[in-house]
Amino acid sequence: LCPGRLVLAQLVVGSALFSIMVPILAPGLSSAHTATVCHLGYWVWYGSAFAQGLLIGFHACLGPKLGAGQSSRLTLGLTVGLWGVAALLGLPITLASDTSRGLCTLSSSRGMGALQSTHAVACFVVFILLPLGLLGAKGLKKALGLGPGPWVNILWVWFIFWWPHGILLGLDTLVRNRLLVLTTCLAQKILDLLLHLAEVLAILHCVATPLLLAVFCH
């Protein structure tokens, strides 16, 4: 099942906003950024990602109920609310960002640890718990004979690009807060490498998602 035009349009906007931020935040592509540019970059980067994840979850849960007879005000209100929540979820990482030698990075100040942990929780909820919850709800409703449950469609592939990022960011946060201890430097280097690879995979979503939608929905 393919989403409607409204959902597709929002996914396109989200992917476009994310793509615009890649040259700003990706190491080696650009430098000499100001703190304001970095703040904006992180906010748009993660805000657009959160919006896409929430949009897919919203469509999976309410898509079958949003027919042509629904009020346009209701649809507009849900859309504005969804993007508003995504913008709020992107604030912690925005406030915790900084610049180092002209590159955008996360602040190493003590007071920023809580913001970074909050961001890690938001990523874990949207990128990991949301799709798992949808799958669990679908399986439970099917087992109990209560209906089809959340829609499963090509949009769910999006979460594959973000699952590793959510998991590894959570592990990194546990290590930074000393709730999880890595006994060797090699283990820390491997975690750092996996984090970078997860970021690369997440970036690929803005290329893969439009291609998949073009192949399966048109």
Side-chain angles (χ1 to χ4, degrees):
L1 295 175
C2 292
R5 291 184 178 180
L6 178 61
V7 175
L8 287 175
Q10 292 182 73
L11 288 174
V12 169
V13 170
S15 295
L17 290 174
F18 187 94
S19 301
I20 293 172
M21 295 301 109
V22 170
I24 296 177
L25 298 182
L29 294 184
S30 185
S31 60
H33 295 308
T34 64
T36 301
V37 172
C38 290
H39 290 327
L40 179 62
Y42 274 107
W43 190 39
V44 175
W45 174 288
Y46 278 103
S48 62
F50 288 141
Q52 291 177 76
L54 293 174
L55 180 63
I56 295 171
F58 160 81
H59 180 263
C61 293
L62 300 180
K65 301 178 182 179
L66 293 178
Q70 291 291 336
S71 170
S72 59
R73 289 186 178 181
L74 174 62
T75 303
L76 178 60
L78 290 173
T79 300
V80 172
L82 184 148
W83 281 87
V85 170
L88 290 176
L89 290 175
L91 284 180
I93 192 64
T94 302
L95 298 175
S97 62
D98 201 353
T99 58
S100 177
R101 298 179 181 179
L103 298 176
C104 296
T105 184
L106 297 181
S107 176
S108 58
S109 302
R110 283 187 176 182
M112 297 300 175
L115 290 173
Q116 295 179 21
S117 297
T118 302
H119 170 68
V121 171
C123 289
F124 189 79
V125 170
V126 176
F127 302 148
I128 307 298
L129 293 186
L130 176 60
L132 290 180
L134 291 174
L135 287 174
K138 184 174 182 63
L140 184 61
K141 293 191 70 174
K142 186 175 182 180
L144 297 177
L146 299 177
W151 275 7
V152 176
N153 55 30
I154 190 62
L155 293 181
W156 285 43
V157 174
W158 183 91
F159 286 111
I160 295 177
F161 294 93
W162 284 96
W163 275 345
H165 184 71
I167 293 174
L168 292 170
L169 188 61
L171 289 176
D172 183 65
T173 301
L174 293 177
V175 172
R176 291 178 183 274
N177 292 327
R178 298 182 180 179
L179 298 175
L180 178 65
V181 179
L182 299 181
T183 56
T184 64
C185 292
L186 178 60
Q188 181 63 59
K189 290 181 179 179
I190 292 175
L191 178 59
D192 293 338
L193 176 61
L194 291 176
L195 270 171
H196 291 309
L197 293 177
E199 289 180 356
V200 173
L201 181 63
I203 291 173
L204 291 178
H205 91 269
C206 57
V207 176
T209 301
L211 289 177
L212 290 173
L213 290 175
V215 170
F216 289 97
C217 296
H218 295 284

